[in-house]
PDB file of all heavy atoms in Angstrom:
ATOM      1  N   MET H   1      93.788 117.925  98.451  1.00  0.00           N
ATOM      2  CA  MET H   1      93.553 116.566  98.914  1.00  0.00           C
ATOM      3  C   MET H   1      94.934 115.921  99.250  1.00  0.00           C
ATOM      4  O   MET H   1      95.799 115.948  98.396  1.00  0.00           O
ATOM      5  CB  MET H   1      92.870 115.732  97.854  1.00  0.00           C
ATOM      6  CG  MET H   1      92.668 114.294  98.254  1.00  0.00           C
ATOM      7  SD  MET H   1      91.764 113.302  96.937  1.00  0.00           S
ATOM      8  CE  MET H   1      90.248 114.170  96.885  1.00  0.00           C
ATOM      9  N   PRO H   2      95.086 115.354 100.421  1.00  0.00           N
ATOM     10  CA  PRO H   2      96.390 114.790 100.778  1.00  0.00           C
ATOM     11  C   PRO H   2      96.719 113.517  99.978  1.00  0.00           C
ATOM     12  O   PRO H   2      95.774 112.771  99.634  1.00  0.00           O
ATOM     13  CB  PRO H   2      96.230 114.486 102.277  1.00  0.00           C
ATOM     14  CG  PRO H   2      94.781 114.286 102.447  1.00  0.00           C
ATOM     15  CD  PRO H   2      94.121 115.273 101.531  1.00  0.00           C
ATOM     16  N   LEU H   3      97.961 113.302  99.685  1.00  0.00           N
ATOM     17  CA  LEU H   3      98.405 112.137  98.939  1.00  0.00           C
ATOM     18  C   LEU H   3      98.378 110.908  99.878  1.00  0.00           C
ATOM     19  O   LEU H   3      98.619 111.023 101.028  1.00  0.00           O
ATOM     20  CB  LEU H   3      99.802 112.333  98.388  1.00  0.00           C
ATOM     21  CG  LEU H   3      99.933 113.359  97.281  1.00  0.00           C
ATOM     22  CD1 LEU H   3     101.448 113.608  96.967  1.00  0.00           C
ATOM     23  CD2 LEU H   3      99.193 112.995  96.035  1.00  0.00           C
ATOM     24  N   PRO H   4      98.096 109.693  99.321  1.00  0.00           N
ATOM     25  CA  PRO H   4      98.142 108.487 100.140  1.00  0.00           C
ATOM     26  C   PRO H   4      99.519 108.231 100.615  1.00  0.00           C
ATOM     27  O   PRO H   4     100.467 108.418  99.904  1.00  0.00           O
ATOM     28  CB  PRO H   4      97.576 107.459  99.200  1.00  0.00           C
ATOM     29  CG  PRO H   4      97.870 107.971  97.822  1.00  0.00           C
ATOM     30  CD  PRO H   4      97.717 109.428  97.915  1.00  0.00           C
ATOM     31  N   THR H   5      99.697 107.722 101.825  1.00  0.00           N
ATOM     32  CA  THR H   5     100.952 107.418 102.410  1.00  0.00           C
ATOM     33  C   THR H   5     101.117 105.982 102.800  1.00  0.00           C
ATOM     34  O   THR H   5     102.202 105.594 103.207  1.00  0.00           O
ATOM     35  CB  THR H   5     101.237 108.340 103.649  1.00  0.00           C
ATOM     36  OG1 THR H   5     100.160 108.140 104.567  1.00  0.00           O
ATOM     37  CG2 THR H   5     101.284 109.804 103.239  1.00  0.00           C
ATOM     38  N   GLY H   6     100.009 105.202 102.782  1.00  0.00           N
ATOM     39  CA  GLY H   6     100.111 103.811 103.183  1.00  0.00           C
ATOM     40  C   GLY H   6     100.492 102.870 102.015  1.00  0.00           C
ATOM     41  O   GLY H   6     100.662 103.330 100.884  1.00  0.00           O
ATOM     42  N   THR H   7     100.732 101.650 102.352  1.00  0.00           N
ATOM     43  CA  THR H   7     101.095 100.704 101.331  1.00  0.00           C
ATOM     44  C   THR H   7      99.950 100.416 100.390  1.00  0.00           C
ATOM     45  O   THR H   7      98.804 100.559 100.820  1.00  0.00           O
ATOM     46  CB  THR H   7     101.588  99.356 101.983  1.00  0.00           C
ATOM     47  OG1 THR H   7     100.535  98.821 102.736  1.00  0.00           O
ATOM     48  CG2 THR H   7     102.838  99.575 102.838  1.00  0.00           C
ATOM     49  N   SER H   8     100.258  99.950  99.217  1.00  0.00           N
ATOM     50  CA  SER H   8      99.256  99.544  98.219  1.00  0.00           C
ATOM     51  C   SER H   8      99.381  98.065  97.946  1.00  0.00           C
ATOM     52  O   SER H   8     100.486  97.541  97.961  1.00  0.00           O
ATOM     53  CB  SER H   8      99.451 100.319  96.929  1.00  0.00           C
ATOM     54  OG  SER H   8      98.682  99.750  95.851  1.00  0.00           O
ATOM     55  N   PRO H   9      98.295  97.361  97.726  1.00  0.00           N
ATOM     56  CA  PRO H   9      98.378  95.928  97.440  1.00  0.00           C
ATOM     57  C   PRO H   9      99.150  95.629  96.120  1.00  0.00           C
ATOM     58  O   PRO H   9      99.550  94.484  95.905  1.00  0.00           O
ATOM     59  CB  PRO H   9      96.909  95.485  97.375  1.00  0.00           C
ATOM     60  CG  PRO H   9      96.120  96.787  97.073  1.00  0.00           C
ATOM     61  CD  PRO H   9      96.884  97.830  97.775  1.00  0.00           C
ATOM     62  N   ASP H  10      99.361  96.695  95.318  1.00  0.00           N
ATOM     63  CA  ASP H  10     100.041  96.482  94.033  1.00  0.00           C
ATOM     64  C   ASP H  10     101.504  96.836  94.114  1.00  0.00           C
ATOM     65  O   ASP H  10     102.253  96.823  93.114  1.00  0.00           O
ATOM     66  CB  ASP H  10      99.389  97.301  92.945  1.00  0.00           C
ATOM     67  CG  ASP H  10      97.984  96.800  92.612  1.00  0.00           C
ATOM     68  OD1 ASP H  10      97.745  95.573  92.783  1.00  0.00           O
ATOM     69  OD2 ASP H  10      97.128  97.618  92.244  1.00  0.00           O
ATOM     70  N   ASP H  11     102.045  97.227  95.317  1.00  0.00           N
ATOM     71  CA  ASP H  11     103.435  97.570  95.469  1.00  0.00           C
ATOM     72  C   ASP H  11     104.352  96.373  95.089  1.00  0.00           C
ATOM     73  O   ASP H  11     104.068  95.265  95.544  1.00  0.00           O
ATOM     74  CB  ASP H  11     103.755  97.988  96.905  1.00  0.00           C
ATOM     75  CG  ASP H  11     103.155  99.316  97.251  1.00  0.00           C
ATOM     76  OD1 ASP H  11     102.709 100.054  96.297  1.00  0.00           O
ATOM     77  OD2 ASP H  11     103.117  99.675  98.458  1.00  0.00           O
ATOM     78  N   LEU H  12     105.393  96.625  94.317  1.00  0.00           N
ATOM     79  CA  LEU H  12     106.289  95.587  93.888  1.00  0.00           C
ATOM     80  C   LEU H  12     107.477  95.365  94.814  1.00  0.00           C
ATOM     81  O   LEU H  12     108.097  94.337  94.745  1.00  0.00           O
ATOM     82  CB  LEU H  12     106.805  95.942  92.466  1.00  0.00           C
ATOM     83  CG  LEU H  12     105.718  95.959  91.429  1.00  0.00           C
ATOM     84  CD1 LEU H  12     106.285  96.446  90.076  1.00  0.00           C
ATOM     85  CD2 LEU H  12     105.089  94.586  91.197  1.00  0.00           C
ATOM     86  N   VAL H  13     107.808  96.352  95.643  1.00  0.00           N
ATOM     87  CA  VAL H  13     108.880  96.218  96.632  1.00  0.00           C
ATOM     88  C   VAL H  13     108.447  96.933  97.933  1.00  0.00           C
ATOM     89  O   VAL H  13     107.401  97.613  97.957  1.00  0.00           O
ATOM     90  CB  VAL H  13     110.206  96.874  96.137  1.00  0.00           C
ATOM     91  CG1 VAL H  13     110.758  96.120  94.876  1.00  0.00           C
ATOM     92  CG2 VAL H  13     110.037  98.328  95.861  1.00  0.00           C
ATOM     93  N   ASP H  14     109.187  96.738  98.978  1.00  0.00           N
ATOM     94  CA  ASP H  14     108.836  97.385 100.255  1.00  0.00           C
ATOM     95  C   ASP H  14     109.826  98.489 100.524  1.00  0.00           C
ATOM     96  O   ASP H  14     110.863  98.691  99.875  1.00  0.00           O
ATOM     97  CB  ASP H  14     108.738  96.392 101.396  1.00  0.00           C
ATOM     98  CG  ASP H  14     110.060  95.617 101.621  1.00  0.00           C
ATOM     99  OD1 ASP H  14     111.133  96.174 101.339  1.00  0.00           O
ATOM    100  OD2 ASP H  14     109.998  94.476 102.086  1.00  0.00           O
ATOM    101  N   VAL H  15     109.527  99.283 101.530  1.00  0.00           N
ATOM    102  CA  VAL H  15     110.344 100.516 101.855  1.00  0.00           C
ATOM    103  C   VAL H  15     111.737 100.071 102.275  1.00  0.00           C
ATOM    104  O   VAL H  15     112.733 100.676 101.877  1.00  0.00           O
ATOM    105  CB  VAL H  15     109.651 101.308 102.968  1.00  0.00           C
ATOM    106  CG1 VAL H  15     110.631 102.339 103.540  1.00  0.00           C
ATOM    107  CG2 VAL H  15     108.408 101.982 102.472  1.00  0.00           C
ATOM    108  N   ALA H  16     111.888  99.039 103.102  1.00  0.00           N
ATOM    109  CA  ALA H  16     113.227  98.676 103.587  1.00  0.00           C
ATOM    110  C   ALA H  16     114.107  98.308 102.417  1.00  0.00           C
ATOM    111  O   ALA H  16     115.287  98.665 102.374  1.00  0.00           O
ATOM    112  CB  ALA H  16     113.092  97.497 104.564  1.00  0.00           C
ATOM    113  N   THR H  17     113.579  97.543 101.443  1.00  0.00           N
ATOM    114  CA  THR H  17     114.363  97.108 100.302  1.00  0.00           C
ATOM    115  C   THR H  17     114.739  98.273  99.430  1.00  0.00           C
ATOM    116  O   THR H  17     115.900  98.411  98.979  1.00  0.00           O
ATOM    117  CB  THR H  17     113.598  96.097  99.438  1.00  0.00           C
ATOM    118  OG1 THR H  17     113.234  94.973 100.259  1.00  0.00           O
ATOM    119  CG2 THR H  17     114.410  95.599  98.255  1.00  0.00           C
ATOM    120  N   ALA H  18     113.804  99.198  99.220  1.00  0.00           N
ATOM    121  CA  ALA H  18     114.093 100.376  98.378  1.00  0.00           C
ATOM    122  C   ALA H  18     115.158 101.289  99.043  1.00  0.00           C
ATOM    123  O   ALA H  18     116.044 101.753  98.350  1.00  0.00           O
ATOM    124  CB  ALA H  18     112.794 101.202  98.209  1.00  0.00           C
ATOM    125  N   ARG H  19     115.105 101.534 100.299  1.00  0.00           N
ATOM    126  CA  ARG H  19     116.045 102.323 101.006  1.00  0.00           C
ATOM    127  C   ARG H  19     117.444 101.711 100.916  1.00  0.00           C
ATOM    128  O   ARG H  19     118.424 102.356 100.713  1.00  0.00           O
ATOM    129  CB  ARG H  19     115.644 102.563 102.436  1.00  0.00           C
ATOM    130  CG  ARG H  19     114.469 103.518 102.614  1.00  0.00           C
ATOM    131  CD  ARG H  19     114.070 103.657 104.122  1.00  0.00           C
ATOM    132  NE  ARG H  19     115.211 104.294 104.885  1.00  0.00           N
ATOM    133  CZ  ARG H  19     115.371 105.557 105.059  1.00  0.00           C
ATOM    134  NH1 ARG H  19     114.562 106.401 104.483  1.00  0.00           N
ATOM    135  NH2 ARG H  19     116.373 105.997 105.751  1.00  0.00           N
ATOM    136  N   ALA H  20     117.502 100.363 101.109  1.00  0.00           N
ATOM    137  CA  ALA H  20     118.765  99.708 101.041  1.00  0.00           C
ATOM    138  C   ALA H  20     119.359  99.808  99.583  1.00  0.00           C
ATOM    139  O   ALA H  20     120.625 100.039  99.471  1.00  0.00           O
ATOM    140  CB  ALA H  20     118.609  98.205 101.433  1.00  0.00           C
ATOM    141  N   TRP H  21     118.567  99.672  98.586  1.00  0.00           N
ATOM    142  CA  TRP H  21     119.072  99.725  97.218  1.00  0.00           C
ATOM    143  C   TRP H  21     119.546 101.153  96.863  1.00  0.00           C
ATOM    144  O   TRP H  21     120.588 101.274  96.200  1.00  0.00           O
ATOM    145  CB  TRP H  21     117.940  99.334  96.236  1.00  0.00           C
ATOM    146  CG  TRP H  21     118.387  99.336  94.810  1.00  0.00           C
ATOM    147  CD1 TRP H  21     117.884 100.142  93.810  1.00  0.00           C
ATOM    148  CD2 TRP H  21     119.310  98.453  94.188  1.00  0.00           C
ATOM    149  NE1 TRP H  21     118.529  99.844  92.614  1.00  0.00           N
ATOM    150  CE2 TRP H  21     119.399  98.817  92.812  1.00  0.00           C
ATOM    151  CE3 TRP H  21     120.120  97.425  94.680  1.00  0.00           C
ATOM    152  CZ2 TRP H  21     120.242  98.184  91.902  1.00  0.00           C
ATOM    153  CZ3 TRP H  21     120.965  96.768  93.762  1.00  0.00           C
ATOM    154  CH2 TRP H  21     121.008  97.154  92.413  1.00  0.00           C
ATOM    155  N   ILE H  22     118.875 102.126  97.339  1.00  0.00           N
ATOM    156  CA  ILE H  22     119.299 103.478  97.083  1.00  0.00           C
ATOM    157  C   ILE H  22     120.495 103.903  97.949  1.00  0.00           C
ATOM    158  O   ILE H  22     121.270 104.823  97.540  1.00  0.00           O
ATOM    159  CB  ILE H  22     118.134 104.493  97.260  1.00  0.00           C
ATOM    160  CG1 ILE H  22     117.073 104.224  96.177  1.00  0.00           C
ATOM    161  CG2 ILE H  22     118.545 105.892  97.302  1.00  0.00           C
ATOM    162  CD1 ILE H  22     115.761 104.967  96.385  1.00  0.00           C
ATOM    163  N   GLY H  23     120.744 103.219  99.056  1.00  0.00           N
ATOM    164  CA  GLY H  23     121.868 103.528  99.892  1.00  0.00           C
ATOM    165  C   GLY H  23     121.507 104.370 101.106  1.00  0.00           C
ATOM    166  O   GLY H  23     122.386 104.930 101.692  1.00  0.00           O
ATOM    167  N   LEU H  24     120.232 104.367 101.457  1.00  0.00           N
ATOM    168  CA  LEU H  24     119.805 105.075 102.652  1.00  0.00           C
ATOM    169  C   LEU H  24     119.878 104.202 103.917  1.00  0.00           C
ATOM    170  O   LEU H  24     119.735 102.971 103.731  1.00  0.00           O
ATOM    171  CB  LEU H  24     118.351 105.555 102.484  1.00  0.00           C
ATOM    172  CG  LEU H  24     118.111 106.575 101.301  1.00  0.00           C
ATOM    173  CD1 LEU H  24     116.652 106.854 101.161  1.00  0.00           C
ATOM    174  CD2 LEU H  24     118.911 107.833 101.502  1.00  0.00           C
ATOM    175  N   PRO H  25     120.135 104.733 105.055  1.00  0.00           N
ATOM    176  CA  PRO H  25     120.256 103.920 106.303  1.00  0.00           C
ATOM    177  C   PRO H  25     118.887 103.305 106.632  1.00  0.00           C
ATOM    178  O   PRO H  25     117.848 103.844 106.303  1.00  0.00           O
ATOM    179  CB  PRO H  25     120.716 104.914 107.326  1.00  0.00           C
ATOM    180  CG  PRO H  25     120.176 106.294 106.814  1.00  0.00           C
ATOM    181  CD  PRO H  25     120.317 106.191 105.360  1.00  0.00           C
ATOM    182  N   PRO H  26     118.909 102.188 107.310  1.00  0.00           N
ATOM    183  CA  PRO H  26     117.666 101.547 107.775  1.00  0.00           C
ATOM    184  C   PRO H  26     116.926 102.448 108.713  1.00  0.00           C
ATOM    185  O   PRO H  26     117.497 103.297 109.422  1.00  0.00           O
ATOM    186  CB  PRO H  26     118.161 100.300 108.531  1.00  0.00           C
ATOM    187  CG  PRO H  26     119.523 100.016 108.045  1.00  0.00           C
ATOM    188  CD  PRO H  26     120.121 101.364 107.711  1.00  0.00           C
ATOM    189  N   LEU H  27     115.573 102.380 108.676  1.00  0.00           N
ATOM    190  CA  LEU H  27     114.745 103.125 109.525  1.00  0.00           C
ATOM    191  C   LEU H  27     114.844 102.609 110.990  1.00  0.00           C
ATOM    192  O   LEU H  27     115.048 101.387 111.236  1.00  0.00           O
ATOM    193  CB  LEU H  27     113.285 103.099 109.054  1.00  0.00           C
ATOM    194  CG  LEU H  27     112.955 103.784 107.792  1.00  0.00           C
ATOM    195  CD1 LEU H  27     111.538 103.453 107.321  1.00  0.00           C
ATOM    196  CD2 LEU H  27     113.093 105.274 107.960  1.00  0.00           C
ATOM    197  N   ALA H  28     114.706 103.525 111.942  1.00  0.00           N
ATOM    198  CA  ALA H  28     114.685 103.103 113.326  1.00  0.00           C
ATOM    199  C   ALA H  28     113.390 102.282 113.604  1.00  0.00           C
ATOM    200  O   ALA H  28     112.383 102.424 112.809  1.00  0.00           O
ATOM    201  CB  ALA H  28     114.688 104.333 114.240  1.00  0.00           C
ATOM    202  N   ASP H  29     113.365 101.479 114.576  1.00  0.00           N
ATOM    203  CA  ASP H  29     112.211 100.652 114.882  1.00  0.00           C
ATOM    204  C   ASP H  29     110.924 101.545 115.045  1.00  0.00           C
ATOM    205  O   ASP H  29     110.962 102.505 115.777  1.00  0.00           O
ATOM    206  CB  ASP H  29     112.441  99.887 116.200  1.00  0.00           C
ATOM    207  CG  ASP H  29     113.437  98.739 116.033  1.00  0.00           C
ATOM    208  OD1 ASP H  29     113.715  98.417 114.849  1.00  0.00           O
ATOM    209  OD2 ASP H  29     113.907  98.279 117.069  1.00  0.00           O
ATOM    210  N   GLY H  30     109.904 101.211 114.363  1.00  0.00           N
ATOM    211  CA  GLY H  30     108.678 101.980 114.446  1.00  0.00           C
ATOM    212  C   GLY H  30     108.591 103.204 113.526  1.00  0.00           C
ATOM    213  O   GLY H  30     107.539 103.850 113.404  1.00  0.00           O
ATOM    214  N   ALA H  31     109.707 103.575 112.893  1.00  0.00           N
ATOM    215  CA  ALA H  31     109.734 104.754 112.040  1.00  0.00           C
ATOM    216  C   ALA H  31     109.142 104.393 110.654  1.00  0.00           C
ATOM    217  O   ALA H  31     109.184 103.240 110.223  1.00  0.00           O
ATOM    218  CB  ALA H  31     111.147 105.291 111.882  1.00  0.00           C
ATOM    219  N   THR H  32     108.629 105.389 109.962  1.00  0.00           N
ATOM    220  CA  THR H  32     108.161 105.216 108.642  1.00  0.00           C
ATOM    221  C   THR H  32     108.751 106.217 107.677  1.00  0.00           C
ATOM    222  O   THR H  32     109.379 107.162 108.054  1.00  0.00           O
ATOM    223  CB  THR H  32     106.620 105.414 108.631  1.00  0.00           C
ATOM    224  OG1 THR H  32     106.321 106.796 109.055  1.00  0.00           O
ATOM    225  CG2 THR H  32     105.917 104.421 109.574  1.00  0.00           C
ATOM    226  N   ASP H  33     108.606 105.936 106.371  1.00  0.00           N
ATOM    227  CA  ASP H  33     109.118 106.831 105.324  1.00  0.00           C
ATOM    228  C   ASP H  33     108.037 107.029 104.342  1.00  0.00           C
ATOM    229  O   ASP H  33     107.949 106.359 103.315  1.00  0.00           O
ATOM    230  CB  ASP H  33     110.370 106.158 104.683  1.00  0.00           C
ATOM    231  CG  ASP H  33     111.008 107.079 103.740  1.00  0.00           C
ATOM    232  OD1 ASP H  33     110.405 108.121 103.339  1.00  0.00           O
ATOM    233  OD2 ASP H  33     112.218 106.893 103.356  1.00  0.00           O
ATOM    234  N   PRO H  34     107.057 107.891 104.613  1.00  0.00           N
ATOM    235  CA  PRO H  34     105.912 108.077 103.755  1.00  0.00           C
ATOM    236  C   PRO H  34     106.254 108.552 102.318  1.00  0.00           C
ATOM    237  O   PRO H  34     105.519 108.187 101.389  1.00  0.00           O
ATOM    238  CB  PRO H  34     105.030 109.103 104.484  1.00  0.00           C
ATOM    239  CG  PRO H  34     105.963 109.812 105.439  1.00  0.00           C
ATOM    240  CD  PRO H  34     106.997 108.805 105.772  1.00  0.00           C
ATOM    241  N   VAL H  35     107.338 109.331 102.203  1.00  0.00           N
ATOM    242  CA  VAL H  35     107.716 109.768 100.903  1.00  0.00           C
ATOM    243  C   VAL H  35     108.206 108.618 100.024  1.00  0.00           C
ATOM    244  O   VAL H  35     107.818 108.451  98.830  1.00  0.00           O
ATOM    245  CB  VAL H  35     108.834 110.866 100.983  1.00  0.00           C
ATOM    246  CG1 VAL H  35     109.278 111.226  99.559  1.00  0.00           C
ATOM    247  CG2 VAL H  35     108.223 112.098 101.660  1.00  0.00           C
ATOM    248  N   MET H  36     109.042 107.736 100.599  1.00  0.00           N
ATOM    249  CA  MET H  36     109.499 106.557  99.866  1.00  0.00           C
ATOM    250  C   MET H  36     108.332 105.648  99.566  1.00  0.00           C
ATOM    251  O   MET H  36     108.291 105.062  98.439  1.00  0.00           O
ATOM    252  CB  MET H  36     110.587 105.804 100.683  1.00  0.00           C
ATOM    253  CG  MET H  36     111.111 104.578  99.963  1.00  0.00           C
ATOM    254  SD  MET H  36     112.064 105.052  98.425  1.00  0.00           S
ATOM    255  CE  MET H  36     113.534 105.768  99.174  1.00  0.00           C
ATOM    256  N   GLN H  37     107.441 105.486 100.499  1.00  0.00           N
ATOM    257  CA  GLN H  37     106.282 104.613 100.241  1.00  0.00           C
ATOM    258  C   GLN H  37     105.433 105.171  99.100  1.00  0.00           C
ATOM    259  O   GLN H  37     105.026 104.377  98.248  1.00  0.00           O
ATOM    260  CB  GLN H  37     105.410 104.555 101.551  1.00  0.00           C
ATOM    261  CG  GLN H  37     104.131 103.684 101.345  1.00  0.00           C
ATOM    262  CD  GLN H  37     104.491 102.283 100.945  1.00  0.00           C
ATOM    263  OE1 GLN H  37     105.108 101.550 101.677  1.00  0.00           O
ATOM    264  NE2 GLN H  37     104.062 101.870  99.760  1.00  0.00           N
ATOM    265  N   LEU H  38     105.238 106.440  99.028  1.00  0.00           N
ATOM    266  CA  LEU H  38     104.479 107.041  97.931  1.00  0.00           C
ATOM    267  C   LEU H  38     105.183 106.815  96.663  1.00  0.00           C
ATOM    268  O   LEU H  38     104.554 106.500  95.588  1.00  0.00           O
ATOM    269  CB  LEU H  38     104.369 108.578  98.174  1.00  0.00           C
ATOM    270  CG  LEU H  38     103.592 109.371  97.119  1.00  0.00           C
ATOM    271  CD1 LEU H  38     102.189 108.887  96.926  1.00  0.00           C
ATOM    272  CD2 LEU H  38     103.612 110.836  97.426  1.00  0.00           C
ATOM    273  N   ALA H  39     106.526 106.950  96.605  1.00  0.00           N
ATOM    274  CA  ALA H  39     107.319 106.694  95.399  1.00  0.00           C
ATOM    275  C   ALA H  39     107.198 105.259  94.919  1.00  0.00           C
ATOM    276  O   ALA H  39     107.092 104.980  93.722  1.00  0.00           O
ATOM    277  CB  ALA H  39     108.766 107.103  95.599  1.00  0.00           C
ATOM    278  N   ILE H  40     107.266 104.338  95.866  1.00  0.00           N
ATOM    279  CA  ILE H  40     107.139 102.924  95.546  1.00  0.00           C
ATOM    280  C   ILE H  40     105.755 102.612  94.903  1.00  0.00           C
ATOM    281  O   ILE H  40     105.716 101.955  93.859  1.00  0.00           O
ATOM    282  CB  ILE H  40     107.273 102.022  96.817  1.00  0.00           C
ATOM    283  CG1 ILE H  40     108.747 102.071  97.234  1.00  0.00           C
ATOM    284  CG2 ILE H  40     106.827 100.578  96.517  1.00  0.00           C
ATOM    285  CD1 ILE H  40     108.973 101.433  98.649  1.00  0.00           C
ATOM    286  N   THR H  41     104.693 103.156  95.451  1.00  0.00           N
ATOM    287  CA  THR H  41     103.377 102.951  94.941  1.00  0.00           C
ATOM    288  C   THR H  41     103.242 103.589  93.537  1.00  0.00           C
ATOM    289  O   THR H  41     102.707 102.969  92.635  1.00  0.00           O
ATOM    290  CB  THR H  41     102.308 103.512  95.896  1.00  0.00           C
ATOM    291  OG1 THR H  41     102.359 102.825  97.115  1.00  0.00           O
ATOM    292  CG2 THR H  41     100.938 103.380  95.315  1.00  0.00           C
ATOM    293  N   ALA H  42     103.779 104.775  93.393  1.00  0.00           N
ATOM    294  CA  ALA H  42     103.777 105.480  92.112  1.00  0.00           C
ATOM    295  C   ALA H  42     104.479 104.717  91.018  1.00  0.00           C
ATOM    296  O   ALA H  42     103.947 104.517  89.899  1.00  0.00           O
ATOM    297  CB  ALA H  42     104.298 106.891  92.218  1.00  0.00           C
ATOM    298  N   VAL H  43     105.710 104.264  91.324  1.00  0.00           N
ATOM    299  CA  VAL H  43     106.499 103.516  90.308  1.00  0.00           C
ATOM    300  C   VAL H  43     105.862 102.178  90.039  1.00  0.00           C
ATOM    301  O   VAL H  43     105.778 101.731  88.900  1.00  0.00           O
ATOM    302  CB  VAL H  43     107.937 103.392  90.784  1.00  0.00           C
ATOM    303  CG1 VAL H  43     108.720 102.452  89.855  1.00  0.00           C
ATOM    304  CG2 VAL H  43     108.629 104.688  90.797  1.00  0.00           C
ATOM    305  N   SER H  44     105.325 101.464  91.027  1.00  0.00           N
ATOM    306  CA  SER H  44     104.694 100.238  90.811  1.00  0.00           C
ATOM    307  C   SER H  44     103.447 100.410  89.892  1.00  0.00           C
ATOM    308  O   SER H  44     103.200  99.572  88.991  1.00  0.00           O
ATOM    309  CB  SER H  44     104.258  99.596  92.160  1.00  0.00           C
ATOM    310  OG  SER H  44     105.289  99.291  93.009  1.00  0.00           O
ATOM    311  N   GLN H  45     102.680 101.439  90.121  1.00  0.00           N
ATOM    312  CA  GLN H  45     101.517 101.704  89.218  1.00  0.00           C
ATOM    313  C   GLN H  45     101.996 102.056  87.869  1.00  0.00           C
ATOM    314  O   GLN H  45     101.347 101.712  86.825  1.00  0.00           O
ATOM    315  CB  GLN H  45     100.680 102.858  89.842  1.00  0.00           C
ATOM    316  CG  GLN H  45      99.986 102.475  91.134  1.00  0.00           C
ATOM    317  CD  GLN H  45      99.245 103.629  91.749  1.00  0.00           C
ATOM    318  OE1 GLN H  45      99.450 104.779  91.400  1.00  0.00           O
ATOM    319  NE2 GLN H  45      98.441 103.302  92.772  1.00  0.00           N
ATOM    320  N   ARG H  46     103.103 102.818  87.745  1.00  0.00           N
ATOM    321  CA  ARG H  46     103.633 103.205  86.444  1.00  0.00           C
ATOM    322  C   ARG H  46     104.014 101.997  85.630  1.00  0.00           C
ATOM    323  O   ARG H  46     103.770 101.880  84.446  1.00  0.00           O
ATOM    324  CB  ARG H  46     104.824 104.162  86.629  1.00  0.00           C
ATOM    325  CG  ARG H  46     105.234 104.942  85.408  1.00  0.00           C
ATOM    326  CD  ARG H  46     106.426 105.814  85.741  1.00  0.00           C
ATOM    327  NE  ARG H  46     106.024 106.814  86.831  1.00  0.00           N
ATOM    328  CZ  ARG H  46     106.909 107.497  87.496  1.00  0.00           C
ATOM    329  NH1 ARG H  46     108.183 107.346  87.291  1.00  0.00           N
ATOM    330  NH2 ARG H  46     106.497 108.378  88.432  1.00  0.00           N
ATOM    331  N   ILE H  47     104.656 100.997  86.282  1.00  0.00           N
ATOM    332  CA  ILE H  47     105.044  99.801  85.654  1.00  0.00           C
ATOM    333  C   ILE H  47     103.862  99.008  85.157  1.00  0.00           C
ATOM    334  O   ILE H  47     103.833  98.512  84.071  1.00  0.00           O
ATOM    335  CB  ILE H  47     105.926  98.933  86.629  1.00  0.00           C
ATOM    336  CG1 ILE H  47     107.350  99.599  86.791  1.00  0.00           C
ATOM    337  CG2 ILE H  47     106.073  97.503  86.091  1.00  0.00           C
ATOM    338  CD1 ILE H  47     108.192  98.936  87.808  1.00  0.00           C
TER     339      ILE H  47
END
């Protein structure tokens, strides 16, 4: 079963903020980061 890649209503931060905090470059217009999004949702649920 594929893992969810979209945002969750319980996410505590967004992808752009997370990437900036970790030190990753901003995404190009229209680009997505499904792995970071999955991590955000997982950590938000863990909290």
Side-chain angles (χ1 to χ4, degrees):
M1 179 181 296
L3 293 172
T5 56
T7 60
S8 164
D10 294 328
D11 289 348
L12 297 173
V13 297
D14 58 30
V15 168
T17 302
R19 287 179 62 88
W21 181 246
I22 291 173
L24 298 174
L27 291 171
D29 290 344
T32 61
D33 187 343
V35 174
M36 182 64 73
Q37 179 58 64
L38 178 62
I40 289 170
T41 298
V43 171
S44 297
Q45 291 175 348
R46 196 177 301 164
I47 288 174

